[in-house]
Amino acid sequence: MLLEELEAMERAVALYASDMPNGYLLQGPQDAAVVGWINQGVARLGREEIRLRASRLLGHRLLWLRDMTTPEINRRHKKRFPSKRRLGLAESLAAITIGWTAPAPAVRNLPALIDGPCPRCDDAGKLWVNRVIDDASGWYEEGYVPCWVCQGGGAE
């Protein structure tokens, strides 16, 4: 697996799954050990599992930023990544490696997956909203719109 084929979250998951020491310090501008651990993590989990875990990690991060994680989502995240310190180190090292590849990896739109029911719509995929059309006249419309968390990637 070439480093150029992985985006940052995928690299972080691969590093987490590797034999990377928990207290590792970067050993120069392009550390061959880090690249080796990324390859080792991909070999251990496989490309599809790396992508799935990276998507769920991204989904958790987006929910966490909006203070929308549920106890069940947090439990599953903690089961997948029991060490916060190791995950933080893996994410930091993965972010640094983005600058090591020339050209930089193309954005591949890693989907943000929620590991459990959507905390906003409870997996209905839609929300009932009142949309203000004209605030001065009090004109609004009601109706369903796609859930911005699970249908829109949580980025809105």
Side-chain angles (χ1 to χ4, degrees):
M1 173 74 36
L2 295 172
L3 190 63
E4 293 85 11
E5 296 176 19
L6 301 172
E7 65 94 42
M9 282 290 187
E10 293 170 319
R11 294 175 191 201
V13 170
L15 283 167
Y16 191 93
S18 73
D19 289 339
M20 173 189 70
N22 286 334
Y24 188 73
L25 297 174
L26 200 59
Q27 303 296 312
Q30 286 195 2
D31 192 339
V34 174
V35 175
W37 290 322
I38 290 172
N39 290 330
Q40 180 186 50
V42 171
R44 277 191 182 159
L45 295 178
R47 184 68 178 91
E48 291 304 312
E49 185 64 21
I50 289 285
R51 187 155 178 84
L52 177 63
R53 289 185 188 194
S55 292
R56 287 185 173 153
L57 177 58
L58 178 59
H60 184 270
R61 288 289 182 252
L62 292 173
L63 289 176
W64 179 82
L65 286 170
R66 292 186 173 269
D67 197 24
M68 293 179 67
T69 58
T70 64
E72 184 62 21
I73 291 171
N74 283 333
R75 185 189 64 74
R76 289 180 181 151
H77 174 74
K78 181 133 176 93
K79 184 177 180 185
R80 193 172 295 109
F81 302 104
S83 172
K84 277 180 143 178
R85 182 170 188 238
R86 182 173 180 81
L87 182 57
L89 175 63
E91 287 177 317
S92 295
L93 289 175
I96 290 169
T97 67
I98 294 297
W100 297 354
T101 55
V107 175
R108 288 190 313 267
N109 296 327
L110 182 69
L113 299 178
I114 299 170
D115 192 9
C118 175
R120 186 74 176 136
C121 70
D122 201 27
D123 279 350
K126 58 188 178 181
L127 299 169
W128 183 264
V129 297
N130 291 322
R131 287 193 249 184
V132 176
I133 305 300
D134 182 11
D135 195 25
S137 67
W139 179 28
Y140 66 92
E141 291 180 352
E142 298 180 320
Y144 284 105
V145 296
C147 176
W148 55 269
V149 175
C150 64
Q151 301 299 313
E156 289 184 20

